[in-house]
């Protein structure tokens, strides 16, 4: 059976929410076809419920059953549901739920935003739903209440009740009393809002009246024609536009109700200027007549209505208004009357509120009956409508309708068990009657509530504490509440600290800088030396969060001093990290130029912090903020960068003093973090800056155009303002550099003429053997060139390096003038400048430069440290392995033996980290090619590279090829007298032996070292003998740490040591003592290994004598599994 909605009262309107869950289930339609009908009035939500003050009885309609013969379909048509069809639903497949049911459910559950989005999507799909259209077109669904207490400002009333608006955390308007000042009057604001709404509605009514009057005035023109038509009854009076639209609507409604849907569609198409689903489209304030069938049945019973009439709501006849002047006077009169009524209403409302307050104030006195009588009398005289459900009125009626003496009444109420003697009882019995009394009550109760709340849930009290602290009138109580806030949680975690900080910022926004300084900062100062780091962390974070809301004098003095003290004294890394971030925020808001030197010292102090997380915070927050302030002061390229360069120059080695690499890293990393603001300064001070405009066709910035910033504050787009503006500036920047030059561009000229020369001069003075320094400067130049762009690098940076290095074919064979090639300038130029861009021409330039340097240094017999540093730095990146092998192949096939020898030594540097496939395909063949040359020096130079291959490669075939090559060096008679070859092989064996494969070490390295040591005993030249003995000592010392089998130890390792001991007795007595101890230790190891099995079996057998074998064995096994010392001894014996 189909369940129908219950009927409503006489004054009830159609409720769009009256669809129950059980009714939704009956909405499932069977798959069989159904007849569709549509009534424009059905399914549309009516005006708001009677509780809405703006709904009129005229708008109310009788309720329509939801499952009557006229249902609303998604396309706006009605659905006729018969009883058999309804009963067949249980056995049929579940059909789709109509959109009208969904809309009704959303409106009933007050999902207003979802319903609005649903309505919009239906409109876009061309399927307007009358229920949603009428709901959202009715302003009464969203108006405020008029009578009684006005609603909160953050609520909008709909037919289902108030529509809550999300409160703002920052302004604390989620609590009603926090949105008003201490001396504000909320009721007056609400009354003003209501009266403004009434005035707006009255003006809309006046506009409608004007339209009706205009229509009436226009109809007077046809009056003569109508008289002529009346004189001739056979001539019918022409139809008026209003009548035509009304009849059209009724005809279309009749067609729909009686199943003439196609006719209705055709009729609607022929009258496309009329909306047949909305009666208000026919005419304003015109009641809808009954249907055509009703008119036909009652046409003879009802006397015809007079035609020449105006709307009953207008008390002026159109015939009395001959011109626009009278219409204007009527409108002015209506507005004047509305103003008088509004003033009178406001005064009456004020009077009633005062009288109600008086009743509450003197409720316990003897004059209460008199006041109540006065209130009732005043209300009746003023004809002010009071809600029947007002609790005040009900209470007054109940209390004073009886004639009881006050004493009897008090004695009667004494039987109610109440407690007002205690503190809590007094608070409960004293209900707050104003916002101020609420604040006072919260201030008294919160100190007693907080200690009894669980620690894990105390953050729930933060809004209450903050609101009370904001609005409480007593400074002492406010201080106590803020003290509770900062001591609310013993060790607040990250989320709890964020919640407290959010509250502090909201408090600061509400109360202003003066109270923040007087009330919040003292709480921070008290916690600065707290024993828990989480509390000190809260203080550090609070200083940064409150910085925008503090007076500028306090910001640059007290707060700065607090943070400086914590940075210097606090031992917790996380606290100092938060201090550095807060200092960065302070630097973003400080405006006292005298504090600039103090900020610079704080930057250096924090950069020297031992904690890496603190240093990272400096680069991410402090330096970007400090550089922005320096840019505003004009100090970035005038003071800040030059001061760092001066400190780097002072670090450069002078005489015997070495370079402090740690301090160099500090200053150079700071310079690197200043590159983005420096480039932003160059763009902002460029000649084309004023011409930069953002267009739709401005090309987007390439993803790889700039290095990845360490933080958003180092993103150049953030510094400039937006990516669109930066893109426009970059386009003009490249055009200016390429075509127009740098004339008048002071900031860029400073970079080119002062910064770059000074940096290149510093690079030439650092130690090239310091890989750390080379890497730091290489990364700096790489970031500088990538930031300033390819055109700048090619036209400004590379020429300055090339002029200093002076690489050309004319001076290849000349040793004079090539001293700069041995400095760090070569690796930094190669790895920091030439690797910035990775296109084909850039790679060719890098290959050519390295080939020229290798050739020049080799032919001039210069040290190869600069070339080695270049290969080490580039070899760390696998992307350059192919390129380096190309450079080395150039050296392999060079005509000069010096160049080939240099290339052979460079192989050792690039093989580590190189893939085995690349070694097998390119490196090993190149080394074998070098070994096939006639020069012994070239062959000897390949030995370290072969050793590196044996140390790093696991491919068996490649290892065998290298082993064969090394064996030829050791066993070929032509190498027997090559002293340098033996030295190089022993040095290589000592370096790679501990890390090589054990089989290679046992079967190849140790036997050949034994042979070399034995041969060295009979060497004739003492100097060569001591050289080989020294290298053998180093090799055996390194190999003694390895695990060596007993067989190899007895057959090769110990005999080799004894041969070396014989040499050292004669040549180096200090080494002889060490060798003696090594030989003793090895002999003990051999003896222990031989006796370990026998000793182990004897000890176990003796322990089992006289005891149960099974029990003892299990106990021993338990000891072995639980005793770490015994396990260690067991493994030690097996060595």
């Amino acid at each position: 059976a189909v369940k129908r909605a219950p009927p409503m009262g006489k004054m009830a309107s159609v409720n769009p929410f009256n669809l129950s869950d059980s009714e939704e289930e009956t909405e499932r339609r069977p798959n069989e076809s159904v007849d569709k009908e549509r009534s424009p009035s059905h399914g549309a939500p009516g005006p708001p419920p009677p509780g809405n003050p703006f709904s009129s009885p005229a708008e109310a309609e009788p309720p329509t059953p939801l499952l009557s013969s006229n249902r609303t379909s998604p396309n706006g048509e009605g659905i006729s549901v018969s009883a058999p069809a309804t009963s067949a639903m249980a056995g049929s497949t579940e059909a789709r739920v109509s959109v009208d049911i969904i809309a009704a459910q959303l409106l009933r559950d007050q999902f207003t935003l979802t319903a609005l989005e649903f309505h919009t999507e239906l409109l876009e799909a061309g399927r307007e739903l009358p229920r949603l259209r009428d709901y959202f077109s009715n302003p009464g669904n969203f108006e405020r209440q008029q009578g009684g207490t006005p609603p909160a400002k953050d609520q909008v009333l709909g037919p289902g009740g108030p529509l809550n608006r999300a409160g703002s955390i920052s302004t604390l308007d989620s609590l009603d009393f926090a949105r008003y000042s201490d001396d504000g009057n909320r009721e007056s604001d609400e009354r003003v809002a209501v009266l403004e709404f009434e005035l707006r509605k009255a003006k809309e009514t006046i506009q409608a009246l004007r339209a009706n009057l205009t229509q009436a005035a226009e109809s007077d023109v046809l009056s003569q024609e109508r008289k002529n038509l009346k004189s001739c009854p056979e001539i019918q009076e022409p139809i008026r536009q209003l009548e035509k639209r009304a009849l059209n609507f009724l005809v279309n409604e009749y067609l729909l109700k009686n199943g003439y849907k196609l006719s209705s569609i055709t009729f609607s198409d022929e009258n496309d200027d009329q909306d047949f689903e909305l009666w208000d489209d026919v005419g304003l304030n015109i009641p809808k007549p009954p249907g055509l069938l009703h008119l036909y049945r009652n046409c003879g019973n009802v006397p015809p209505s007079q035609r020449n009439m105006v709307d009953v709501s207008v008390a002026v006849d159109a015939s009395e208004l001959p011109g626009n002047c009278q219409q204007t006077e009527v409108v002015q009169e209506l507005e004047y009357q509305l103003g008088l009524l509004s003033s009178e209403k406001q005064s009456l409302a004020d009077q009633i509120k005062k009288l109600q307050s008086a009743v509450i104030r003197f409720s316990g006195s003897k004059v209460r009956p008199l006041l109540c009588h006065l209130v009732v009398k005043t209300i009746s005289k003023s004809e002010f409508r009071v809600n029947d459900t007002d609790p005040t009125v009900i209470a007054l009626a109940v209390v004073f309708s009886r004639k009881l003496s006050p004493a009897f009444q008090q004695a009667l109420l004494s039987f109610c068990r109440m407690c007002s003697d205690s503190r809590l009882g007094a608070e409960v019995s004293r209900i707050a009657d104003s916002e101020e009394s609420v604040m006072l009550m919260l201030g008294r109760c919160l100190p007693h509530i907080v200690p009894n709340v669980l620690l894990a849930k105390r953050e729930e009290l933060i809004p209450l504490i903050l609101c009370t602290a904001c609005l409480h009138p007593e400074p002492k109580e406010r201080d106590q509440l803020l003290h509770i806030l900062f001591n609310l949680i013993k060790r607040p975690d990250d989320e709890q600290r964020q919640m407290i900080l959010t509250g502090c910022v909201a408090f600061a926004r509400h109360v202003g800088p003066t109270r923040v300084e007087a009330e919040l900062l003292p709480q921070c100062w008290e916690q600065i030396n707290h024993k828990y780091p989480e509390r000190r962390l809260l203080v550090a974070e609070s200083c940064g969060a409150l910085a925008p809301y503090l007076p500028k004098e306090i910001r640059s003095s007290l707060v700065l001093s607090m943070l400086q003290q914590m940075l210097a004294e606090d031992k917790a890394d996380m606290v100092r990290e938060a201090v550095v971030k807060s200092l960065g925020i302070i630097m973003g808001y400080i405006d006292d130029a005298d504090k600039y030197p103090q900020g610079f010292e704080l930057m250096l102090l924090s950069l020297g912090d031992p904690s890496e997380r603190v240093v990272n915070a400096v680069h991410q927050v402090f330096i970007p903020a400090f550089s922005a302030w320096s840019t505003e002061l004009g100090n970035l390229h005038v003071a800040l960068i030059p001061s760092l360069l001066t400190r780097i120059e002072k670090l450069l080695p002078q005489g015997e003093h070495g370079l402090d690499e740690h301090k160099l890293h500090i200053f150079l990393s700071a310079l690197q973090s200043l590159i983005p603001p420096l480039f932003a300064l160059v763009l902002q001070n460029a000649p084309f800056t004023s011409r930069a405009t953002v267009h739709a066709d401005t090309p987007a910035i390439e993803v790889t155009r700039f290095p990845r910033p360490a933080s958003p504050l180092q993103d150049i787009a953030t510094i400039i303002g937006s990516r669109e503006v930066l893109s426009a500036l970059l386009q003009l920047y490249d055009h200016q550099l390429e075509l127009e030059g740098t004339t008048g561009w002071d900031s860029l000229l400073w970079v080119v003429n002062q910064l770059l020369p000074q940096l290149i001069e510093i690079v030439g003075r650092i130690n090239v053997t310091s890989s750390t320094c080379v890497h730091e400067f290489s990364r700096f130049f790489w970031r500088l060139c990538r930031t300033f762009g390819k055109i700048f690098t090619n036209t400004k940076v590379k020429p300055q390096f090339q002029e200093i290095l002076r690489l050309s074919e004319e001076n290849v064979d000349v040793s004079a003038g090539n001293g700069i090639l041995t400095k760090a300038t070569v690796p930094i130029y190669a790895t920091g400048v030439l690797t910035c861009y990775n296109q084909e021409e850039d790679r060719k330039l890098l290959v050519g430069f390295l080939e020229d340097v290798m050739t020049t240094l080799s032919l001039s017999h210069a040290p190869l440290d600069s070339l080695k540093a270049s290969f080490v730095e580039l070899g760390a990146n696998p992307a350059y392995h192919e390129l380096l092998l190309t450079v080395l192949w150039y050296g392999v096939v060079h005509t000069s033996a010096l160049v080939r020898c240099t290339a052979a030594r460079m192989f050792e540097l690039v093989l580590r980290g190189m893939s085995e496939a690349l070694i097998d395909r390119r490196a090993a063949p190149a080394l074998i090619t070098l070994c096939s040359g006639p020069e012994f020096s070239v062959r000897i130079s390949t030995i370290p590279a072969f050793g590196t291959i044996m140390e790093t490669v696991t491919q068996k075939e490649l290892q065998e090829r290298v082993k064969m090559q090394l064996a030829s060096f050791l066993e070929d008679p032509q190498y027997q007298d090559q002293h340098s070859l033996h030295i190089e092989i022993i040095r290589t064996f000592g370096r790679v032996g501990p890390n090589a494969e054990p089989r290679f070490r046992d079967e190849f390295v140790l036997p050949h070292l034994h042979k070399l040591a034995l041969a060295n005993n009979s060497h004739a030249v003492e100097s060569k003998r001591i050289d080989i003995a020294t290298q053998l000592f180093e090799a055996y010392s390194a190999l003694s740490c390895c695990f060596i089998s007993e067989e190899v130890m007895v057959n090769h390792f110990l005999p080799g040591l004894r041969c070396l001991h014989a040499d050292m007795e004669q040549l180096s007595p200090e080494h002889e003592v060490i060798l003696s101890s090594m030989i003793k230790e090895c002999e003990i190891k051999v003896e222990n290994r031989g006796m370990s099995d026998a000793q182990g079996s004897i000890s176990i057998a003796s322990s089992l004598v006289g005891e149960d074998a099974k029990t003892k064995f299990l106990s021993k096994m338990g000891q072995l599994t639980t005793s770490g010392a015994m396990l260690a001894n067991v493994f030690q014996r097996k060595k």
Side-chain angles (χ1 to χ4, degrees), residues 911-1078:
L911 287 175
R912 297 182 184 276
M914 188 177 291
S915 65
E916 293 189 12
L918 198 57
I919 294 175
D920 186 30
R921 190 177 74 251
R922 297 192 60 179
L927 289 171
I928 294 174
T929 302
L930 288 173
C931 292
S932 62
E935 295 86 357
F936 282 104
S937 60
V938 176
R939 299 179 186 179
I940 294 172
S941 300
T942 61
I943 293 175
F946 283 123
T948 303
I949 292 176
M950 294 302 299
E951 184 182 8
T952 58
V953 171
T954 58
Q955 188 177 343
K956 298 296 183 184
E957 296 180 1
L958 186 56
Q959 286 182 348
E960 290 299 325
R961 288 161 56 191
V962 173
K963 190 187 297 184
M964 290 174 58
Q965 186 63 49
L966 292 175
S968 67
F969 287 146
L970 292 168
E971 298 170 1
D972 196 330
Q974 62 176 330
Y975 300 114
Q976 289 182 358
D977 297 332
Q978 293 296 326
H979 176 73
S980 57
L981 183 141
H982 295 157
I983 292 291
E984 195 65 52
I985 284 184
I986 296 172
R987 184 185 295 118
T988 301
F989 282 173
R991 177 173 59 86
V992 304
N995 302 318
E997 189 182 7
R999 183 180 175 185
F1000 172 71
R1001 181 175 62 240
D1002 294 343
E1003 296 180 0
F1004 189 84
V1005 174
L1006 291 176
H1008 283 93
L1009 283 178
H1010 179 203
K1011 291 180 182 179
L1012 290 172
L1014 185 60
N1016 195 49
N1017 290 147
S1018 58
H1019 208 291
V1021 182
E1022 185 176 346
S1023 59
K1024 294 181 179 182
R1025 185 180 175 189
I1026 188 62
D1027 291 341
I1028 292 178
T1030 304
Q1031 294 300 326
L1032 283 171
F1033 177 80
E1034 298 293 338
Y1036 274 110
S1037 298
L1039 291 169
S1040 63
C1041 301
C1042 303
F1043 176 78
I1044 303 172
S1045 64
E1046 182 179 355
E1047 181 182 358
V1048 177
M1049 179 76 74
V1050 173
N1051 296 333
H1052 300 293
F1053 194 80
L1054 272 174
L1057 277 179
R1058 293 190 180 102
C1059 294
L1060 180 60
H1061 183 267
D1063 287 336
M1064 289 300 181
E1065 279 183 337
Q1066 303 176 10
L1067 304 174
S1068 179
E1070 62 274 9
H1071 289 89
E1072 185 267 337
V1073 178
I1074 301 175
L1075 283 172
S1076 299
S1077 63
M1078 289 174 63

Side-chain angles (χ1 to χ4, degrees), residues 74 121 200 342 547 564 611 614 622 654 661 748 998 1034:
E121 292 179 349
R200 184 170 68 254
S342 300
Q564 185 175 6
S611 173
V614 176
F622 187 91
Q654 297 176 355
E661 294 182 354
L748 187 67
E1034 298 293 338

Side-chain angles (χ1 to χ4, degrees), residues 697-752:
D697 56 348
T698 303
I701 304 173
E702 295 181 5
V703 179
T704 58
R705 169 62 180 84
F706 295 104
R708 180 178 298 176
S711 75
L713 295 177
Q714 289 191 6
D715 189 353
I716 299 176
T718 304
I719 300 173
I720 294 293
S722 68
R723 296 193 68 83
E724 292 77 13
V725 176
L726 177 59
S727 179
L729 288 173
L730 285 177
Q731 198 173 8
L732 295 173
Y733 168 79
D734 292 338
H735 180 270
Q736 182 86 14
L737 283 179
E738 193 171 8
L739 301 177
E740 299 183 14
T742 59
T743 305
W745 200 346
D746 295 338
S747 55
L748 187 67
L749 289 174
W750 177 84
V751 175
V752 175

Side-chain angles (χ1 to χ4, degrees), residues 53-54 143-147 150-151 186-204 335 337-350 384:
F54 302 115
E143 293 169 357
R144 302 180 186 276
Q145 293 181 351
Q146 181 175 355
R186 180 182 61 184
E187 289 78 6
S188 62
D189 292 343
E190 294 291 348
R191 285 196 300 272
V192 170
V194 172
L195 294 175
E196 286 178 351
F197 173 79
E198 291 180 348
L199 181 60
R200 184 170 68 254
K201 297 292 288 184
K203 288 183 178 179
E204 293 176 358
E335 292 178 346
Q337 292 179 5
L338 177 63
L340 292 178
L341 290 175
S342 300
S343 302
E344 182 180 1
K345 179 180 179 181
Q346 182 175 357
S347 62
L348 290 174
D350 294 340
F384 187 85

Side-chain angles (χ1 to χ4, degrees), residues 5-9 11-20 23 41-50 59-66 71 100 103-110 131 135 141 158-161:
M8 302 174 68
M11 297 299 294
S13 60
V14 178
N15 190 349
F17 313 111
N18 60 359
L19 188 63
S20 65
E23 292 167 347
S41 61
H42 290 313
E59 297 175 345
E61 296 183 31
T64 303
L66 286 177
R71 290 294 301 140
D100 187 66
Q105 182 72 18
L106 291 174
L107 294 177
R108 186 187 69 182
D109 294 340
Q110 301 187 41
R131 182 187 297 272
Y135 176 76
N141 294 332

